[in-house]
Amino acid sequence: MEERQALHTSPYVVQIEKFASSLKQLSHTFLKLEDKKRSFTNEEVEQMFEQVKEKVCEGCDKHPWCWGTNFVHTYQMGYEILSAVDQYGNELNTETKRKLQQRCMKAPRFLREILSAFHDARKELMWNNRMVQSREGYAVQMDTFADMIRNTAKELERSIFVDERLEKKISAHLKKMGIRVLYTNFFLNREGKYEVHVTAKALKNGCVATKELVKGVSDVMGRKFISDGTHNPVLGKEYITIICMEGPGYYTLQGVAKIGKGCNKISGDSFMLMELSGGRQGAALSDGMGSGEKACKESTLVIELLEELLEAGFPEKTAIQMINTMLVMGREDIHFSTVDMSIFDLYTGTCEIIKAGASSTFIKKKNKVEHISSSSLPIGVMNSIEIESVKRQLEDGDFVIMVTDGVLDALPVGEQDILLETIIGGTAINNPRELAHHILEQVLSFTGEVPMDDMTVLAVGLWEC
């Protein structure tokens, strides 16, 4: 490979850094604003008493006494009522009611009005705290987004390099193949793999297959390149940019088997399989709360949002945390969903398993089966959650098997992981789809009953190219 030279800091990278810094400053400003209130201020309590005084005590013969000479005891009585409401609710306790009846000629109305004032103030307190909580949640996400932009800019700056001699060699070689090159950009990603972006067109209004350009780049670079698959299969008279990526050493195949609760056609489990940047592939399962159509909508929402964020380039854990914040902030009731994700690096053969409230994941090797469990919460329950992850090195022919709760819950408590390990390890099936269906059929045969919950098995096999 020709000696390469790093570029000076790009003005685009500098601008992105400024944008990220502005986002950081904005998020920190949000976080410095008022905190959540745990109790009422003296001014708010005074306002409650003023409301009661105006509606109940005005015109009462004892008004000058209660709110004049004896105002200390009146205030004390009011505070006792508010304290009792906080502890016992609207019913209060017998002693507080007795004291109020002894001291106030309009005890029932006084009590009714002070309760009304208290509940109005508490409702306002709750709304204010909810607004503070929402602001804090979005500020954290903005801060995370700023970090992601900043890291992406630094990664881009590190990855770009120039090599004029190599660029000329590619242009000359492709010209012999009937391709005119406008310009070429070189990148070296963090995995040490090359990307070459070639902007080119066919000569003399001809047509050249894109794969021929990729092959030409491979010949010059002395490395195996593949197309990223996002452009036209043929070069024509218009310039287009072809992305040539250094080919990975592994590939995956996937298979899914699923059944709804009570054999219902609608399942509350959703899954996705997608290509990610940097020669990676992702597989994810989400189990919505409950079963049927409502659970299906919840898990489908999570999977669709996850897919959009990952395609946009967000890190996996950041994407899950952002979806969690959206679920918590966007609704009054709790609706949770699990997230179980496996990220395969097709260059190195490693697999990162990421979990938020999900069931065990099983790794089937030639001579053993390993299960990886998690104690984390599902998303949608709390504003901040712990997302657990582990990495495993896979070899040719290994399988990663992901299941939803319904599969394990169908097996006897205390033996679930061991029994599923036995089922997985007891078969020599190496077709992912057949393996997923075999596992589900064996679990259903073991129970001998219709499914008591939605059940999904997702099997992903890894092989060397």
Side-chain angles (χ1 to χ4, degrees):
M1 183 63 63
E2 302 286 346
E3 182 180 356
R4 63 181 189 275
Q5 177 183 8
L7 284 173
H8 295 295
T9 300
S10 165
Y12 300 107
V13 172
V14 173
Q15 187 59 44
I16 292 172
E17 172 64 28
K18 290 179 179 178
F19 180 60
S21 297
S22 297
L23 282 178
K24 277 275 193 185
Q25 184 62 41
L26 188 59
S27 68
H28 292 167
T29 300
F30 280 177
L31 289 172
K32 289 177 183 177
L33 297 177
E34 61 178 322
D35 293 329
K36 288 187 285 187
K37 293 167 61 177
R38 304 297 178 185
S39 59
F40 298 117
T41 63
N42 290 335
E43 290 77 11
E44 287 169 329
V45 175
E46 286 281 351
Q47 190 175 353
M48 292 184 215
F49 289 166
E50 286 296 323
Q51 182 178 329
V52 174
K53 187 195 303 185
E54 181 181 341
K55 291 185 176 182
V56 180
C57 302
E58 292 292 343
C60 177
D61 294 340
K62 296 188 67 177
H63 178 273
W65 166 258
C66 294
W67 297 102
T69 308
N70 201 42
F71 81 95
V72 173
H73 293 92
T74 303
Y75 268 72
Q76 184 180 5
M77 186 72 248
Y79 276 107
E80 284 187 26
I81 293 173
L82 294 179
S83 177
V85 171
D86 200 38
Q87 184 174 359
Y88 299 104
N90 289 355
E91 295 301 319
L92 306 184
N93 60 340
T94 306
E95 180 63 21
T96 303
K97 286 184 177 180
R98 185 185 64 79
K99 285 184 179 180
L100 178 62
Q101 289 169 350
Q102 287 178 342
R103 297 183 183 182
C104 182
M105 295 172 58
K106 299 181 178 181
R109 189 178 172 194
F110 185 95
L111 179 60
R112 186 167 62 249
E113 291 298 336
I114 201 169
L115 287 175
S116 176
F118 173 80
H119 288 303
D120 287 345
R122 186 166 64 175
K123 187 183 295 183
E124 184 176 351
L125 176 69
M126 291 174 65
W127 272 109
N128 286 338
N129 282 346
R130 188 167 183 82
M131 290 175 64
V132 171
Q133 185 182 19
S134 297
R135 189 190 67 237
E136 289 176 349
Y138 291 126
V140 170
Q141 296 306 323
M142 192 182 301
D143 191 70
T144 304
F145 186 43
D147 285 336
M148 190 201 76
I149 292 175
R150 181 171 286 168
N151 291 335
T152 301
K154 290 178 179 178
E155 190 70 35
L156 178 62
E157 184 179 8
R158 286 193 296 264
S159 69
I160 301 173
F161 69 91
V162 293
D163 191 324
E164 293 181 0
R165 293 179 61 190
L166 184 58
E167 185 174 358
K168 289 178 180 178
K169 287 177 67 175
I170 290 176
S171 295
H173 185 78
L174 293 181
K175 187 175 182 180
K176 295 176 183 178
M177 301 170 61
I179 300 170
R180 179 184 296 278
V181 176
L182 182 62
Y183 51 80
T184 305
N185 292 318
F186 299 95
F187 302 86
L188 183 65
N189 64 27
R190 58 189 167 191
E191 288 84 19
K193 303 298 179 180
Y194 288 88
E195 278 189 26
V196 182
H197 295 203
V198 183
T199 300
K201 68 176 183 178
L203 285 171
K204 299 179 182 178
N205 295 322
C207 290
V208 180
T210 299
K211 64 181 181 181
E212 293 299 319
L213 181 149
V214 177
K215 182 177 183 303
V217 172
S218 298
D219 292 341
V220 175
M221 299 282 288
R223 294 169 179 266
K224 179 185 176 183
F225 283 85
I226 60 173
S227 165
D228 74 339
T230 61
H231 39 67
N232 295 332
V234 177
L235 285 173
K237 62 180 181 180
E238 301 292 336
Y239 282 107
I240 61 173
T241 299
I242 308 300
I243 300 176
C244 307
M245 303 173 60
E246 191 170 353
Y250 297 87
Y251 69 95
T252 64
L253 293 175
Q254 306 85 21
V256 180
K258 61 190 302 185
I259 189 170
K261 178 181 179 180
C263 297
N264 193 331
K265 292 182 179 179
I266 299 177
S267 171
D269 301 339
S270 298
F271 68 93
M272 76 164 187
L273 304 163
M274 67 178 297
E275 300 288 332
L276 300 173
S277 61
R280 299 177 304 145
Q281 288 183 342
L285 266 180
S286 179
D287 183 358
M289 183 176 70
S291 60
E293 187 172 351
K294 187 175 181 181
C296 179
K297 288 181 179 179
E298 289 292 323
S299 62
T300 300
L301 173 65
V302 169
I303 288 295
E304 288 178 349
L305 288 172
L306 186 61
E307 191 168 7
E308 287 183 13
L309 292 172
L310 294 180
E311 283 183 348
F314 284 86
E316 292 79 20
K317 291 183 180 180
T318 301
I320 295 173
Q321 183 63 62
M322 291 179 74
I323 297 171
N324 176 71
T325 300
M326 185 278 294
L327 293 179
V328 172
M329 297 300 168
R331 56 187 76 185
E332 294 290 337
D333 300 327
I334 293 177
H335 294 272
F336 62 79
S337 295
T338 65
V339 175
D340 195 359
M341 185 157 51
S342 297
I343 305 296
F344 299 86
D345 187 323
L346 301 184
Y347 289 116
T348 64
T350 58
C351 176
E352 183 177 13
I353 297 168
I354 304 169
K355 292 184 173 293
S359 295
S360 296
T361 294
F362 298 81
I363 298 178
K364 182 180 187 295
K365 292 183 171 288
K366 293 178 177 61
N367 56 356
K368 68 175 182 177
V369 177
E370 177 190 7
H371 80 267
I372 299 169
S373 58
S374 166
S375 58
S376 59
L377 289 173
I379 62 174
V381 179
M382 299 179 65
N383 186 42
S384 180
I385 60 170
E386 181 181 353
I387 301 170
E388 299 179 346
S389 69
V390 297
K391 282 189 177 182
R392 291 291 185 269
Q393 180 64 52
L394 303 182
E395 298 174 350
D396 182 62
D398 288 352
F399 282 88
V400 174
I401 297 140
M402 305 157 66
V403 300
T404 53
D405 288 342
V407 176
L408 286 173
D409 290 346
L411 301 172
V413 176
E415 304 176 32
Q416 297 164 329
D417 289 333
I418 298 299
L419 285 172
L420 203 52
E421 278 186 26
T422 304
I423 291 172
I424 293 170
T427 178
I429 297 173
N430 59 9
N431 179 296
R433 184 177 180 278
E434 293 177 6
L435 177 60
H437 280 272
H438 171 78
I439 294 169
L440 184 59
E441 289 167 3
Q442 289 295 306
V443 172
L444 291 172
S445 297
F446 187 90
T447 63
E449 301 175 352
V450 296
M452 301 299 291
D453 193 4
D454 302 320
M455 303 169 71
T456 301
V457 180
L458 174 58
V460 183
L462 183 84
W463 289 274
E464 291 182 358
C465 295

